[in-house]
Amino acid sequence: MTVSVSKDDGGGRPETIRAVPVRHPGRWAGALVVLVLAAMFVHFLLTNKALNWPEQGKFLFSSAVLHGLWNTIWLTLAAMVGGVTLGVILALMRMSPNPLMSGASWVYLWFFRGTPLYTQLLIWGAIGALLPTISIGIPFGPEFHTWQTQKLINAALAAALGLILNEAAYMAEIVRAGILSVDEGQQEAASALGMSRMQTMRRIVLPQAMRVIVPPTGNETISMLKNTSLVAAVPYAELTWTSQTIYAETYQVIPMLVMACLWYLFLSSLMMIGQFYLERYFGRGTSRSRAGRSRLRTLGMLRLGGGG
């Protein structure tokens, strides 16, 4: 906004100030470009015959698609619950003063973060060739019972294990970052009060670390929802695999893939809403403390300006 000041007329009256809004032609041009692109995209969606919206509507709520959708949902939940649980254990092992514990955790993270998830799922799909049997017994000694691996680990279990073990490696680093964000003085104070290391972690450190842990965990959950499409390597009938089986019969490739994208977008949107409320819940103390510090700084400047 520009300000223009009129000259004094000599009568002792104050000068008149006229505020003139600053023109922003670049903003209007950018907004116009966005509107044109949006209109072009809507026109594309409505007129492109390859999308075949009636075909999508025919299968959108079909039993096969809903079954694949349910498999996608439960795989996401199982992978995140198992990944978070194992990730916490790995994070505590990584921070352990015991070199064997920390070393074992580092090797786990090194392997599962250093190899592609799709490749890991392929191995789980062929786990019977790697381990024909699974036995219970004394290590390097007699075996009490033996199972055929391919019968014990079906496609659903193989898909879930592959996702859980991979996700745990990433969650371990997220949890470790959250733990390291908590001031060490609080751990020392808890130790001085006689609390054990596990009590300190459970009651003092982890509740505060949640402010740092929740946002990336929400992102990991949304990513996991999409990563479930990779379990076709096992193979397992989740949403993408189901869409592929449908268009293999109908030859409507694009409509079925777009239909799957719509379901993924719907579920991702629900997760984003849940993530927003979780972040707001765990960040309440931080927001109040920031507001409090801002008010204190304002009061301090007022007192300094007022001479006391």
Side-chain angles (χ1 to χ4, degrees):
M1 178 177 292
T2 59
V3 178
S4 61
V5 182
S6 62
K7 296 182 179 180
D8 191 354
D9 59 2
R13 298 174 62 184
E15 300 175 345
T16 303
I17 299 177
R18 290 189 305 109
V20 180
V22 178
R23 301 292 186 266
H24 297 284
R27 296 182 183 178
W28 289 103
L32 181 61
V33 170
V34 171
L35 287 175
V36 171
L37 291 176
M40 292 174 61
F41 181 68
V42 172
H43 180 265
F44 167 79
L45 293 179
L46 296 177
T47 59
N48 195 313
K49 295 182 179 180
L51 294 174
N52 199 347
W53 294 106
E55 184 75 9
Q56 295 187 43
K58 185 168 64 174
F59 289 98
L60 186 62
F61 297 102
S62 65
S63 59
V65 170
L66 292 179
H67 178 70
L69 181 68
W70 165 246
N71 287 343
T72 294
I73 293 174
W74 86 257
L75 273 176
T76 303
L77 294 176
M80 290 311 301
V81 171
V84 169
T85 303
L86 184 56
V88 171
I89 296 173
L90 289 168
L92 297 179
M93 290 174 60
R94 182 81 186 277
M95 302 178 67
S96 172
N98 188 323
L100 289 178
M101 299 286 284
S102 60
S105 177
W106 183 89
V107 170
Y108 183 98
L109 270 60
W110 167 76
F111 177 80
F112 282 97
R113 294 172 67 195
T115 55
L117 173 58
Y118 187 76
T119 305
Q120 296 173 25
L121 289 170
L122 285 173
I123 294 175
W124 277 104
I127 192 66
L130 179 64
L131 295 172
T133 60
I134 297 178
S135 303
I136 293 180
I138 300 175
F140 308 106
E143 298 177 352
F144 302 142
H145 192 74
T146 302
W147 294 273
Q148 294 293 324
T149 303
Q150 209 63 43
K151 295 181 179 179
L152 183 64
I153 302 179
N154 56 18
L157 183 57
L161 287 174
L163 295 175
I164 289 172
L165 295 178
N166 181 268
E167 183 60 30
Y170 293 93
M171 285 306 307
E173 290 297 276
I174 292 174
V175 172
R176 187 170 72 94
I179 292 173
L180 293 176
S181 69
V182 179
D183 189 356
E184 292 183 0
Q186 300 198 33
Q187 301 183 44
E188 295 173 357
S191 178
L193 292 174
M195 297 179 67
S196 66
R197 178 180 172 85
M198 292 305 299
Q199 287 177 327
T200 302
M201 280 291 174
R202 188 176 72 254
R203 299 180 181 180
I204 306 296
V205 177
L206 286 178
Q208 298 181 70
M210 290 299 291
R211 296 170 182 169
V212 177
I213 294 173
V214 167
T217 301
N219 294 335
E220 285 292 311
T221 305
I222 295 172
S223 296
M224 179 55 65
L225 172 69
K226 295 174 289 185
N227 285 340
T228 56
S229 62
L230 299 177
V231 300
V234 172
Y236 186 63
E238 45 72 53
L239 182 58
T240 298
W241 190 87
T242 302
S243 301
Q244 290 176 317
T245 57
I246 293 175
Y247 74 60
E249 297 179 0
T250 63
Y251 301 102
Q252 297 291 324
V253 178
I254 295 299
M256 293 302 98
L257 293 179
V258 172
M259 178 200 65
C261 288
L262 293 176
W263 274 118
Y264 284 119
L265 285 172
F266 174 72
L267 295 176
S268 297
S269 300
L270 294 180
M271 290 181 178
M272 289 177 184
I273 295 172
Q275 178 183 354
F276 169 77
Y277 284 105
L278 277 176
E279 289 182 14
R280 191 171 69 171
Y281 174 79
F282 285 106
R284 289 179 303 172
T286 303
S287 301
R288 285 199 298 266
S289 63
R290 288 178 180 173
R293 288 195 295 269
S294 178
R295 286 193 293 269
L296 287 175
R297 285 195 296 267
T298 303
L299 290 173
M301 287 187 290
L302 290 175
R303 289 171 183 170
L304 288 174

